Amino acid sequence: MDTPGQRAAGTSNASAPAPDSEQAVFWRNRATGLFDRIPLPAAFCDARGTVLSANHAMASEWGTLPGRLVGRSALDLFRPTAGRLDPISEALRLRRRSRYPIEVSWCPPTGVERHGEMTIDLVGTAPDAPPNLLLILRIPEAPAPALPTGRTKESGQTSAMEARILALAAAGCTSTRIATEVGLTADGVNYHLARLSRRWGVTNRTALVARAYVKGVLSPHAWPPAPAAAEPPVVEGGFA
């Protein structure tokens, strides 16, 4: 309640923000930003395994946007291939904060089954409330198969989405423009570019595009730039 002095001065307790509330919002926003930039696929789920939020890496694994995974069941997305879920159910019942690794498989839109390890952390702030689940997926890097000629096929190291992003980057598009073209956010585009840069050991976008041409990901004969798989056939004896 405002004091007479506050009313006379035109001030009010109701308009003053609560410091604790401001700090809570600040740290929540910061945690959300960090979560979204984790290079590993990650998702928060409730105690029943329903996805509450997912980062760009997790959405990329499914060829979609993070918001479209919200409401999905983790057991619909991933199938345990080794280990049992009973210890996790028991930990949830007893309100334990523990970590459980489990081998999983899944079939993304590409139709090729993939395998990895899912780490399930039981997290929460209220001791009496059921903990939420933090899922972090680790996918082993598969070596590229050797061709009969002794050369390594490197274009297969990129997904169709990555190849499209590289082609648009080669054309000089900004992250915002690329995001509009491929249906991602600018952060999602930057995530893909940063992951490719780490994978290929380059430090800037120009070097990344050059590397994509050397690896055969982008067609050297197409303009505007296009993925090598989309390169039009060359007609023998024709004119450019």
Side-chain angles (χ1 to χ4, degrees), residues 6 86-87 95 102 121 125 127 129 139-140 153 176 178 192 195 220:
Q6 287 175 315
D86 295 345
R95 307 286 197 267
I102 186 169
D121 283 276
T125 55
I139 307 168
K153 181 177 175 61
T176 302
I178 296 173
H192 281 290
R195 185 168 69 169

Side-chain angles (χ1 to χ4, degrees), residues 65-128:
L65 299 174
R68 293 180 181 172
L69 292 180
V70 175
R72 300 279 302 273
S73 170
L75 288 177
D76 289 339
L77 297 171
F78 299 98
R79 182 176 67 256
T81 57
R84 297 172 59 85
L85 298 178
D86 295 345
I88 302 174
S89 300
E90 182 70 5
L92 286 168
R93 187 180 68 82
L94 298 176
R95 307 286 197 267
R96 291 176 182 165
R97 290 347 185 225
S98 306
R99 171 175 296 178
Y100 298 90
I102 186 169
E103 293 180 17
V104 295
S105 66
W106 64 100
C107 190
T110 58
V112 179
E113 187 175 38
R114 289 165 64 77
H115 300 267
E117 181 184 79
M118 179 80 75
T119 300
I120 304 174
D121 283 276
L122 278 62
V123 297
T125 55
D128 298 329

Side-chain angles (χ1 to χ4, degrees), residues 5-240:
Q6 287 175 315
R7 288 195 296 270
T11 61
S12 171
N13 284 330
S15 62
D20 290 344
S21 176
E22 283 187 342
Q23 283 205 344
V25 171
F26 169 79
W27 286 109
R28 183 179 61 198
N29 290 342
R30 185 166 185 180
T32 301
L34 292 173
F35 170 73
D36 202 40
R37 288 168 173 77
I38 295 174
L40 296 174
F44 273 115
C45 301
D46 63 16
R48 294 173 296 180
T50 302
V51 177
L52 303 175
S53 63
N55 67 356
H56 283 290
M58 180 66 81
S60 174
E61 188 61 36
W62 288 95
T64 186
L65 299 174
R68 293 180 181 172
L69 292 180
V70 175
R72 300 279 302 273
S73 170
L75 288 177
D76 289 339
L77 297 171
F78 299 98
R79 182 176 67 256
T81 57
R84 297 172 59 85
L85 298 178
D86 295 345
I88 302 174
S89 300
E90 182 70 5
L92 286 168
R93 187 180 68 82
L94 298 176
R95 307 286 197 267
R96 291 176 182 165
R97 290 347 185 225
S98 306
R99 171 175 296 178
Y100 298 90
I102 186 169
E103 293 180 17
V104 295
S105 66
W106 64 100
C107 190
T110 58
V112 179
E113 187 175 38
R114 289 165 64 77
H115 300 267
E117 181 184 79
M118 179 80 75
T119 300
I120 304 174
D121 283 276
L122 278 62
V123 297
T125 55
D128 298 329
N132 289 333
L133 308 177
L134 172 60
L135 313 182
I136 298 180
L137 182 64
R138 291 175 172 82
I139 307 168
E141 290 287 343
L147 297 179
T149 59
R151 298 179 60 189
T152 302
K153 181 177 175 61
E154 303 202 46
S155 59
Q157 294 180 356
T158 58
S159 66
M161 175 66 75
E162 289 170 335
R164 287 182 63 198
I165 290 173
L166 285 168
L168 290 164
C173 296
T174 64
S175 294
T176 302
R177 175 64 184 277
I178 296 173
T180 302
E181 294 291 333
V182 302
L184 294 175
T185 64
D187 281 343
V189 170
N190 290 333
Y191 160 76
H192 281 290
L193 293 173
R195 185 168 69 169
L196 286 166
S197 295
R198 287 193 300 269
R199 187 190 305 168
W200 292 347
V202 297
T203 57
N204 57 59
R205 191 172 295 197
T206 302
L208 181 64
V209 168
R211 191 75 166 159
Y213 277 108
V214 170
K215 285 180 170 291
V217 176
L218 299 180
S219 166
H221 307 294
W223 187 265
E231 182 178 354
V234 177
V235 179
E236 294 293 334
F239 295 92

